[in-house]
């Protein structure tokens, strides 16, 4: 009987990633969430594209519009290498927490010391129009899960590295920051749940990121989290959202978000 640990699987993935990309180590990992798909093209030249299904532990894309590939990108300016994941496994897919954080662990095994986690989410601040990027300052994990296995009491103070948030604000001083609340999903919140999130100290509601951030910290990585507010959270806006408006806001924001992240990553 073999008992493959998550670390074994991450090492196996890193070996295959190195083979397929022709690069022994990567420096920065980037996970692209809803609305962030353009970013990879803007941070530099793609050196290799790898189908997720060819890498141990990875599955194809589960959400339409996400791509089931990862790319090795030479970052313009710094010459560092980014490992860009075009999609993520969400907790609500039911494949377990190990699957959710496998990309982050694989990136750590591939040499990445920094991970940039992006997502699309709902905003609690009515001033955040659809298409507003917001830095994640901290999180509240409402999944009831941890990616850590065993008695490893990882400190999450400053989980979202202050130095990287400062760097982001040097690029764009107008960036707001907020506390990201992860719900299980896949349904959106009720207005009462959004009010609860606000009472708890939340600013953003979403269905990803927190478990990945914890796994990254366990692996000793620095974390930058950036949310794209694509809609006011349920009950925040008086008028029901027009899906078309949200889509349009996303399209309009894509260029700004991609450029912003490319500039931040170029300075890392
Ligand atoms: I895009 O309003 C997006 N993802 N939980 N709530 C949650 N996830 C989201 C939302 C939202 N918008």
């Amino acid at each position: 009987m073999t008992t493959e640990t998550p670390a074994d699987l991450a090492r196996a993935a890193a070996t295959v990633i190195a083979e397929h990309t022709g690069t022994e180590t990567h420096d920065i990992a980037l996970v692209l969430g809803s609305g962030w798909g353009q970013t990879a093209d803007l941070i530099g030249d793609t050196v290799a594209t790898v189908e997720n299904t060819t890498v141990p532990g990875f599955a194809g894309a589960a959400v339409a519009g996400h791509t089931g590939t990862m790319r090795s990108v030479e970052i313009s300016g710094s010459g560092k290498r980014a490992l860009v994941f075009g999609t993520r496994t969400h907790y609500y897919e039911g494949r377990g927490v190990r699957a959710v954080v496998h990309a982050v662990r694989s990136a750590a095994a591939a040499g990445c010391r920094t991970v940039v986690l992006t997502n699309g989410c709902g905003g609690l601040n009515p001033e955040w129009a659809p298409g507003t990027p917001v830095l994640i300052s901290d999180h509240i994990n409402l999944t009831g899960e941890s990616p850590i296995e065993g008695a490893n009491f990882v400190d999450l103070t400053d989980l979202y590295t202050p130095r990287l948030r400062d760097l982001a604000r040097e690029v764009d001083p107008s960036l707001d920051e907020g506390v990201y609340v992860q719900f299980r999903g896949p349904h959106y919140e009720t207005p009462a749940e959004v009010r609860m999130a606000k009472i708890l100290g939340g600013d953003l509601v979403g269905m990803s990121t927190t478990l990945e951030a914890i796994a990254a910290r366990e692996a000793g990585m620095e974390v930058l989290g950036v949310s794209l507010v694509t809609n006011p959270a349920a009950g925040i806006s008086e008028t029901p959202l027009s899906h078309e408006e949200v889509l349009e806001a996303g399209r309009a924001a894509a260029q700004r978000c991609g450029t912003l992240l490319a500039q931040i990553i170029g300075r890392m």
Side-chain angles (χ1 to χ4, degrees):
M1 195 188 81
T2 57
T3 49
E4 193 175 50
T5 67
D8 292 336
L9 191 57
R11 272 192 296 274
T15 299
V16 171
I17 290 168
E19 283 168 10
H20 286 0
T21 62
T23 306
E24 201 52 51
T25 62
H26 286 78
D27 304 297
I28 298 167
L30 172 59
V31 180
L32 298 177
S34 306
W36 294 92
Q38 284 203 341
T39 307
D41 297 321
L42 297 170
I43 63 176
D45 293 327
T46 296
V47 178
T49 302
V50 180
E51 293 293 328
N52 284 359
T53 49
T54 65
V55 183
F58 284 83
V63 181
H66 292 223
T67 51
T69 59
M70 61 186 83
R71 305 202 224 172
S72 179
V73 178
E74 190 173 302
I75 301 170
S76 306
S78 73
K80 288 182 178 174
R81 259 329 161 85
L83 185 57
V84 182
F85 297 98
T87 187
R88 59 159 46 93
T89 297
H90 292 86
Y91 182 62
Y92 58 68
E93 291 170 47
R95 297 181 53 227
V97 178
R98 284 184 177 186
V100 170
V101 301
H102 178 59
V104 166
R105 288 189 171 137
S106 299
C112 296
R113 310 303 306 151
T114 306
V115 62
V116 181
L117 300 172
T118 66
N119 62 54
C121 72
L124 270 60
N125 182 339
E127 286 177 11
W128 292 336
T132 304
V134 177
L135 290 173
I136 299 176
S137 58
D138 201 349
H139 80 219
I140 297 172
N141 169 16
L142 293 185
T143 65
E145 296 276 5
S146 172
I148 301 171
E149 301 181 24
N152 184 10
F153 305 107
V154 175
D155 175 37
L156 301 183
T157 311
D158 290 338
L159 175 56
Y160 298 89
T161 310
R163 184 182 71 80
L164 296 178
R165 282 146 57 198
D166 289 346
L167 191 71
R169 275 188 302 260
E170 278 173 27
V171 171
D172 182 352
S174 75
L175 273 177
D176 278 338
E177 54 177 43
V179 173
Y180 180 92
V181 184
Q182 181 176 356
F183 284 83
R184 183 195 181 283
H187 52 275
Y188 294 120
E189 296 71 36
T190 63
E193 287 165 344
V194 171
R195 289 195 297 275
M196 177 189 79
K198 191 171 181 63
I199 290 166
L200 294 179
D203 303 292
L204 307 157
V205 286
M207 305 179 193
S208 67
T209 304
T210 73
L211 299 170
E212 293 153 69
I214 295 166
R217 174 48 55 90
E218 182 191 27
M221 302 166 98
E222 291 196 311
V223 180
L224 178 69
V226 196
S227 288
L228 173 63
V229 176
T230 61
N231 58 279
I236 294 291
S237 172
E238 276 177 25
T239 50
L241 282 173
S242 140
H243 185 55
E244 189 45 47
E245 265 174 18
V246 170
L247 289 180
E248 180 49 38
R251 280 192 290 271
Q255 184 70 31
R256 179 187 172 198
C257 289
T259 305
L260 171 71
L261 213 49
Q263 288 179 306
I264 294 168
I265 288 173
R267 292 189 186 204
M268 281 179 168

